[in-house]
Amino acid sequence: MVESRLPNVQEVSHKVVKNNEMQVDVFVAGSLAIDFSCDFNPNKETSPDSPQLHTSNPAQISQAIGGVGHNIATAIHYINTNVRFCSVTGSDSAGSMAREWLTAKGLSTSAILQQSSVRTAQYVAINDSQKNLVLAMADMAILESCSQEIERVWKPQIDRSKPRWLVVDANWDPHSLQQWIKIGRDVNAKVAFEPVSVAKSKRLFASIRGNSSVTGVLPDLTVSLAAPNSLELASMHAAAQKAELFECDDWWQVIDAIGLSNSGSRAKLTFLTNSTLVDKGIPQQCIQLLPFIPTILTKLGDKGVLMTQMLQPGDDRLSSPAHAEHILSCADPSHPTIGGVYMRLFPPAETIPATDIVSVNGVGDTFLGIIIAGLAKDNPKTLVDLIPIAQLGSVMTLKSKEAVSPEIRNLRELL
């Protein structure tokens, strides 16, 4: 059975953004796709849990508009932060459908490029009977066909708006990814990186061998925040290691300044997180990536979120008794740019019975979207305050048929 969740534009009452030159707080550059979610629907003749390989399986199949960039932009929009979504569609029926859906939600399509020579992106997720992802296939080649358009189409919009944040997902090819990051930094926007997948997460450090100036090291950073899951984190770490970035002098200077070995103290890390995470090397990988990405929010599914952050000198948390248990290390007080390292494991917002899970698609995107929406406010809350709110939003999406639950609008007042 195929269920379409594409909206009737006439039934949607949200106001469409028509003033394309309005002040935009956040730009999101990433994928816009048609999502197919195939949920294994076992019967008495099949395995009760997971689909079988190399054969057909009974399923409930639904269709919706998605894409990592789209989901993040939608979450930001629902939280009532001004956002501009930059992406590309083909001149096909799927592309027309995607653009209509954006308009229906009130998202501007002024930064959605339409190309006739390529097909609109598509994503297929195969889930088990508990709605956990088993396998996914992504056709995002369209984003790799328009690197020349970044400077021509999207850079002028960013130059005019001078947003506070630019979010870039890893569906762009490595060259385009670096283009986007440079454009953001040129207007002093903070850049957030969404790794997308294990394979694509490597693109941030692709084709960079022993040249940390491309990625930026404290204090000359190019990326301010990343939100990988544990598998993507490991992939990013491996890519940085392969690029020999952990052998650069400026990387060592940062590691020496924070007063830890390059992997951290096991006893301290176990106290701040738990032995399972330490055995997997997750906090150690975060520490080693901090000189390149000073805030890493590692999504751990039903185990919560691990926040690892490089603190600047004078940060209140360095001297606050309430935060003392989360301070991993302190730099020399005379250091001009590094104050210390903050590490905190946030438990999940709630334990969700498997019967209440509708779809895992878009859960991590919802989380990052709410985080960025909060940070882009005039008087933003701290990440410590924003993470539990973003976790609540992720739970709402987990229980929703939509890639981003419209119910996250109810979180606006909390931000």
Side-chain angles (χ1 to χ4, degrees):
M1 181 176 95
V2 178
E3 173 192 353
S4 176
R5 297 202 297 269
L6 303 176
N8 182 336
V9 176
Q10 301 301 319
E11 295 176 354
V12 181
S13 61
H14 303 303
K15 183 178 179 181
V16 177
V17 177
K18 295 182 178 179
N19 183 3
N20 294 334
E21 299 306 319
M22 67 183 291
Q23 173 59 41
V24 179
D25 296 317
V26 182
F27 271 71
V28 177
S31 60
L32 173 61
I34 304 297
D35 280 1
F36 293 89
S37 183
C38 307
D39 297 332
F40 181 53
N41 189 21
N43 55 40
K44 62 181 180 180
E45 299 172 331
T46 60
S47 164
D49 298 317
S50 296
Q52 289 181 280
L53 297 178
H54 312 300
T55 188
S56 175
N57 291 271
Q60 183 173 4
I61 303 174
S62 56
Q63 182 183 20
I65 301 299
V68 171
H70 161 269
N71 297 343
I72 295 170
T74 298
I76 295 170
H77 175 63
Y78 283 165
I79 295 298
N80 209 25
T81 297
N82 293 329
V83 61
R84 180 77 53 81
F85 178 35
C86 304
S87 192
V88 58
T89 69
S91 298
D92 48 18
S93 58
S96 298
M97 196 161 36
R99 296 166 74 91
E100 287 181 2
W101 177 229
L102 291 178
T103 300
K105 285 195 284 191
L107 280 165
S108 170
T109 59
S110 63
I112 305 298
L113 183 65
Q114 190 171 8
Q115 291 195 328
S116 59
S117 59
V118 288
R119 61 186 175 275
T120 298
Q122 298 188 61
Y123 175 84
V124 180
I126 311 297
N127 304 318
D128 64 19
S129 60
Q130 305 301 315
K131 308 298 193 302
N132 295 312
L133 182 66
V134 175
L135 177 70
M137 305 293 281
D139 178 2
M140 303 291 166
I142 189 170
L143 286 184
E144 300 176 7
S145 67
C146 54
S147 61
Q148 294 181 349
E149 305 298 332
I150 295 175
E151 296 280 339
R152 183 182 70 84
V153 176
W154 294 303
K155 183 179 184 300
Q157 295 189 36
I158 292 178
D159 288 345
R160 285 194 299 269
S161 293
K162 294 180 172 55
R164 293 171 176 170
W165 279 88
L166 168 65
V167 184
V168 185
D169 81 32
N171 281 303
W172 302 95
D173 64 88
H175 174 69
S176 297
L177 193 59
Q178 293 303 326
Q179 276 185 283
W180 277 112
I181 292 171
K182 183 179 184 304
I183 289 170
R185 298 307 294 163
D186 284 348
V187 296
N188 294 318
K190 293 182 178 180
V191 177
F193 175 64
E194 167 48 55
V196 175
S197 70
V198 170
K200 293 178 179 179
S201 63
K202 302 174 184 178
R203 293 179 173 181
L204 183 63
F205 301 117
S207 303
I208 302 170
R209 183 166 295 278
N211 184 6
S212 60
S213 64
V214 178
T215 57
V217 178
L218 277 166
D220 300 317
L221 293 163
T222 56
V223 174
S224 297
L225 182 150
N229 62 31
S230 58
L231 297 177
E232 293 161 353
L233 175 72
S235 180
M236 290 169 63
H237 181 271
Q241 191 170 42
K242 183 177 180 180
E244 300 178 358
L245 294 180
F246 300 144
E247 300 175 22
C248 298
D249 289 342
D250 44 7
W251 179 83
W252 275 110
Q253 290 172 10
V254 176
I255 293 297
D256 289 342
I258 62 178
L260 287 171
S261 67
N262 64 8
S263 59
S265 163
R266 179 179 176 86
K268 284 186 177 180
L269 294 178
T270 302
F271 172 77
L272 291 174
T273 61
N274 57 56
S275 59
T276 301
L277 294 183
V278 175
D279 288 342
K280 292 180 179 179
I282 291 174
Q284 298 94 315
Q285 292 166 359
C286 290
I287 292 169
Q288 292 181 357
L289 289 172
L290 274 186
F292 309 113
I293 309 170
T295 299
I296 302 175
L297 306 179
T298 307
K299 297 169 291 190
L300 303 170
D302 60 3
K303 302 299 187 293
V305 174
L306 179 63
M307 171 185 174
T308 311
Q309 187 175 40
M310 190 78 76
L311 302 182
Q312 296 181 347
D315 191 297
D316 291 342
R317 284 170 288 179
L318 290 168
S319 56
S320 168
H323 292 284
E325 64 180 302
H326 305 295
I327 300 297
L328 178 61
S329 71
C330 293
D332 188 296
S334 64
H335 198 284
T337 57
I338 299 173
V341 175
Y342 186 91
M343 183 173 285
R344 183 165 180 172
L345 179 60
F346 290 80
E350 64 177 87
T351 301
I352 307 170
T355 53
D356 290 347
I357 297 175
V358 176
S359 173
V360 297
N361 293 345
V363 173
D365 304 335
T366 300
F367 175 83
L368 180 57
I370 295 173
I371 291 289
I372 298 301
L375 292 175
K377 298 293 185 184
D378 289 336
N379 297 298
K381 291 180 178 290
T382 67
L383 269 174
V384 170
D385 294 325
L386 288 173
I387 287 173
I389 300 172
Q391 288 178 296
L392 289 175
S394 295
V395 169
M396 292 175 179
T397 290
L398 200 60
K399 298 177 179 179
S400 172
K401 290 184 177 181
E402 305 296 332
V404 178
S405 172
E407 289 188 13
I408 70 170
R409 295 189 183 99
N410 297 327
L411 301 176
R412 289 176 179 177
E413 298 302 319
L414 298 180
L415 298 178

